[in-house]
Amino acid sequence: MAPKSSPARKARSRPRPSPRRRQKTGVARYYQLYSLLSNALNDGTIAPGTALPSEPELSNRHRLSRTTVRRALERLENENRIVRLRGSGTFARQAPAASKLCLNLHSYYKDLPSIAAQTSVSVLRFEPEVLPAGVRELQSRLGERAFVIQRLRKFHGTPYQLSTAYVPESVGRQMRRNSLGSTSIITVLDRIGPKTVSSDHTMSAVAADDIASRALGVALGAPLLRMRAVFSDSKGRIRAVYESLSRPDQLNVRAELERVRVRSAPRPWRLRPHETGSAKR
Amino acid sequence: MTARTNTRTGIARYQQVYTVLSQALATGNIAAGEALPSEPTLVRQYGVSRTTVRRALARLAAEGSIVRRRGSGTFAKSGLEKSGATRKVTRLLDDLRRVGSNTRSKLLAFERVSTPDFLLREWPEFGERALLIRRLRSIGDDPVVLATIYVPEDLAPLLSPRRLGVDTVLVALDKLGHRAVTADQQTNAVAADPFSAQHLQCPVGAALLNVRQLARDAKGHILDFTNFVYRPDCYELHVQIERGNGRRARVPR
C-alpha cells in the first residue's frame, strides 16, 4: 500500500541488525541473542506455550554459531522461561501467576497499604543527614538536612525495591525505626500528620549501581525502574521526597488514563479516578 | 561484600562498570570538572580488578567523556549533562512534538501483518490482521524513542505514511475523527536489545524506559497498541496523583 519511494519500503528491505555485527562491545554474542529472546518473551511477542524458532533457524537468522545459540537458550532454560522438549522443540513457558506485583497509579493511595501488607521490609538506614546535592536540586524546599529512610522491600523473599525517602528533620524525629515495619511511607507520615494529598512522580530507567546491585541481587548495570516522587500536604508543604529503584521482573506499574472532559482542545489526559472508599474491586 | 559483576551475565565486567560510570556522568551525579573516584576506590567499590577499571576508564576517555591528567587524576568533561535542550520531562500521554519544535520522525516500517499472539491473547477483539508501524523519533540529533505500533485492520486504510507525516498515530486518527478517550499504560525498565540499541544509539544491555499502551475511543473500540522504548537520558515520564476524594469510578472493564 505504500508508494514505491516511501521510506517504509526502503526500511523493509534493510536487514535487521544481527547480533554478530557488534563484536567489540563488551557484550557477549550469546547475550545479544538472549536479550532479543528475553524481551520477546517478556512482552509476549513469543507467547507462552508457543514454539521458539529452531536452533538452526536462530543460527542462520542471526549468523551465530550453534554453540552461541545453545548458550542463549540454556540461560533462558535456567531461568525457567522456556522448556526444551527433545524431538519437538523449544517452547515459551507460562509465567507463574501472581509472580509479579502490580502498582496501579490510578489507585495509588489505595494500593500502597495492600502492597505493604504483601511484602516484607528491612530498614537499611534511618538517620538525619545533609541532603545529597541531587536531591536538594530536586526539592530545595526540604532544607539542608533531612531524615533519610532507606528500605529494602521483598516479595516472597525476593528483594524487588530499594527505596530512599527524605523527610523534613522535624518529622523524622517523630518516627521510630522499629515502627517503620513494612508500612508504606505515606501511612507512616499520615500518622504524624498532616495528611499527604498529592504527589508528583517521575519515572525513568537506570542502570543498577554498586549499592542497588548488591541490595537487589542483580548484576551491576542491570536495568531498574526508577520512580521519584514529591509528596505534599493540602497546603503544598513537602512531606517527603522519595526515590525507589525496582526490579522490572518483579514489579509492574500500570496506569489507566482518560481524557479530561473539557471543551478546550487538545483535551489533556489524566489518571482515571477510582473508587477510594471500599476495597471492593 | 562486592557487587555482582559476574561474567556469567554475558556482559563483560568492564562494560558493566562503564555503563554505571557513564550514567553517573550523563546525569550529573559526577558533575562536569569533578574528579572521578581513584582507581583503587573504584576497584573496591565494584569488586573488580584494576585492569577492568582501567579498561572502563579507557573507553570513557576514548569517547571523550573524561580527561585523565597524569599525576592529578581523572575528571569529568563538561557539556555531557543533558539539560535544557534535550532532557525533557513529559506528561503521561503527550505528543513529543509539543516538548520540542525540532523533533524528527523516521519511518522504519509500515506494513500489514498478522496480529501478534500477545495482542490477541489480551485483546481478542483486535482482529487477525493489523497495520504495523515502526518509527524512530529524535529531538535534534538525539534519538529519543523507538515506537512499535499496531493498528487494527479496520482503521488501517485511513492511514498512509504521507498522512501520518510527523503526527503520532493517535493524533493522525484524531484528525480523521477517531478520538482516543481512554488508555491503559504499563511502564517498566528494559535492557536494550541489539535492534533498539542500534536505533537509539546506546550499548546493548543499556537501561531503557518501556511504556506499553492500548488506546480506545469513546465506544471502547481499540485504536492502537504502542510499545515505546525511550532513552532515559532524553525522556522521563511524569504523573501527578491527587488523593481520591471518594469519587466513584466508572464501571471497570
Side-chain angles (χ1 to χ4, degrees):
Chain A
M1 77 165 287
K4 258 188 188 162
S5 60
S6 83
R9 201 181 171 85
K10 269 185 255 158
R12 219 177 307 156
S13 59
R14 204 177 303 144
R16 274 203 164 204
S18 106
R20 182 137 211 168
R21 272 202 219 152
R22 307 179 138 258
Q23 285 189 8
K24 297 208 165 158
T25 53
V27 179
R29 278 185 208 158
Y30 94 84
Y31 177 82
Q32 304 189 22
L33 176 61
Y34 160 83
S35 72
L36 277 175
L37 294 173
S38 165
N39 283 349
L41 289 165
N42 281 350
D43 67 20
T45 313
I46 304 177
T50 59
L52 269 70
S54 68
E55 282 184 16
E57 257 178 276
L58 288 170
S59 148
N60 281 336
R61 195 186 297 170
H62 301 289
R63 286 181 285 153
L64 293 168
S65 73
R66 284 290 280 274
T67 321
T68 306
V69 169
R70 254 177 232 149
R71 213 168 149 200
L73 293 176
E74 264 160 28
R75 179 155 169 192
L76 292 168
E77 194 180 18
N78 290 339
E79 291 173 355
N80 267 329
R81 297 165 65 192
I82 58 169
V83 53
R84 305 168 84 176
L85 302 174
R86 190 169 286 182
S88 54
T90 307
F91 299 87
R93 263 181 194 264
Q94 193 78 46
S99 63
K100 230 173 161 179
L101 272 175
C102 186
L103 173 65
N104 294 304
L105 294 180
H106 47 270
S107 52
Y108 185 73
Y109 287 96
K110 201 182 92 190
D111 281 14
L112 282 184
S114 79
I115 288 183
Q118 289 175 64
T119 57
S120 63
V121 159
S122 34
V123 180
L124 306 183
R125 293 178 61 203
F126 179 71
E127 62 209 357
E129 68 159 30
V130 175
L131 276 187
V135 179
R136 218 178 310 156
E137 207 172 283
L138 190 76
Q139 202 37 261
S140 54
R141 279 179 293 164
L142 204 58
E144 286 269 304
R145 283 169 67 83
F147 244 81
V148 54
I149 303 161
Q150 190 171 57
R151 303 195 290 177
L152 182 68
R153 217 170 254 285
K154 291 182 182 174
F155 181 52
H156 293 321
T158 308
Y160 76 92
Q161 187 177 67
L162 178 67
S163 70
T164 313
Y166 298 91
V167 302
E169 212 176 344
S170 57
V171 180
R173 298 236 173 259
Q174 298 177 58
M175 293 179 175
R176 292 245 167 70
R177 188 185 181 115
N178 56 13
S179 74
L180 286 169
S182 76
T183 324
S184 86
I185 192 74
I186 302 291
T187 313
V188 174
L189 287 168
D190 279 356
R191 279 184 202 143
I192 296 166
K195 199 175 170 185
T196 299
V197 299
S198 78
S199 43
D200 253 310
H201 302 249
T202 312
M203 285 179 279
S204 191
V206 294
D209 65 8
D210 52 322
I211 295 166
S213 88
R214 269 181 216 135
L216 294 168
V218 297
L220 190 66
L224 298 174
L225 181 69
R226 185 184 73 192
M227 286 184 77
R228 281 183 166 162
V230 177
F231 298 105
S232 324
D233 68 14
S234 61
K235 289 186 178 148
R237 287 174 303 203
I238 306 289
R239 303 292 291 146
V241 175
Y242 174 89
E243 178 181 282
S244 68
L245 299 172
S246 308
R247 275 174 60 165
D249 59 338
Q250 301 290 325
L251 179 77
N252 254 340
V253 176
R254 249 189 93 214
E256 282 179 18
L257 312 176
E258 65 173 23
R259 275 220 157 121
V260 180
R261 289 161 180 273
V262 290
R263 286 193 179 267
S264 72
R267 299 193 300 173
W269 291 87
R270 67 165 177 203
L271 289 173
R272 193 159 160 172
H274 267 239
E275 197 173 350
T276 50
S278 70
K280 209 174 82 182
R281 287 207 71 168
Chain B
M1 197 167 59
T2 58
R4 289 177 49 185
T5 44
N6 200 321
T7 43
R8 301 186 74 177
T9 55
I11 300 197
R13 291 177 190 212
Y14 87 85
Q15 171 72 13
Q16 297 180 331
V17 174
Y18 161 83
T19 306
V20 175
L21 287 177
S22 57
Q23 174 174 283
L25 291 164
T27 54
N29 275 352
I30 304 176
E34 198 180 304
L36 268 70
S38 69
E39 285 185 11
T41 309
L42 292 171
V43 165
R44 273 198 306 278
Q45 190 171 351
Y46 298 119
V48 296
S49 72
R50 190 97 179 222
T51 320
T52 302
V53 165
R54 283 206 185 126
R55 217 168 148 194
L57 293 176
R59 183 146 175 206
L60 291 167
E63 280 178 3
S65 316
I66 56 170
V67 210
R68 307 171 85 172
R69 292 197 202 109
R70 190 168 288 180
S72 56
T74 309
F75 299 87
K77 254 197 156 170
S78 53
L80 292 170
E81 205 173 329
K82 294 199 180 273
S83 56
T86 341
R87 185 168 188 87
K88 304 288 173 190
V89 174
T90 303
R91 292 191 183 275
L92 278 169
L93 227 170
D94 259 353
D95 186 348
L96 257 194
R97 288 174 316 159
R98 244 184 272 155
V99 298
S101 51
N102 56 343
T103 71
R104 287 179 297 127
S105 164
K106 186 175 158 199
L107 201 57
L108 305 173
F110 191 96
E111 59 193 316
R112 304 288 178 98
V113 295
S114 298
T115 306
D117 285 341
F118 75 93
L119 286 177
L120 282 176
R121 241 179 315 127
E122 206 158 346
W123 300 287
E125 72 265 38
F126 210 99
E128 291 294 318
R129 304 277 302 164
L131 172 65
L132 163 69
I133 301 169
R134 195 172 265 137
R135 64 205 316 208
L136 178 73
R137 262 182 204 275
S138 314
I139 300 178
D141 291 328
D142 291 313
V144 174
V145 56
L146 186 66
T148 306
I149 306 139
Y150 291 93
V151 180
E153 173 84 319
D154 55 325
L155 295 169
L158 298 173
L159 297 170
S160 66
R162 248 187 81 196
R163 188 160 277 165
L164 215 50
V166 294
D167 283 345
T168 63
V169 169
L170 286 186
V171 169
L173 287 173
D174 195 289
K175 287 179 181 168
L176 295 160
H178 295 270
R179 167 158 298 178
V181 298
T182 62
D184 206 328
Q185 280 190 346
Q186 285 196 34
T187 307
N188 222 329
V190 291
D193 61 28
F195 183 70
S196 23
Q198 194 208 17
H199 286 290
L200 294 173
Q201 294 169 19
C202 63
V204 173
L208 299 173
L209 183 67
N210 178 220
V211 177
R212 294 149 53 80
Q213 172 190 297
L214 186 94
R216 295 175 189 269
D217 68 12
K219 288 181 182 155
H221 294 148
I222 293 174
L223 295 182
D224 83 338
F225 171 86
T226 306
N227 186 80
F228 297 100
V229 194
Y230 295 96
R231 241 174 66 172
D233 55 346
C234 297
Y235 184 91
E236 283 181 337
L237 197 64
H238 176 236
V239 52
Q240 194 167 2
I241 306 178
E242 300 296 327
R243 204 158 190 173
N245 51 3
R247 276 186 63 171
R248 281 207 161 257
R250 277 172 295 148
V251 189
R253 231 174 355 102

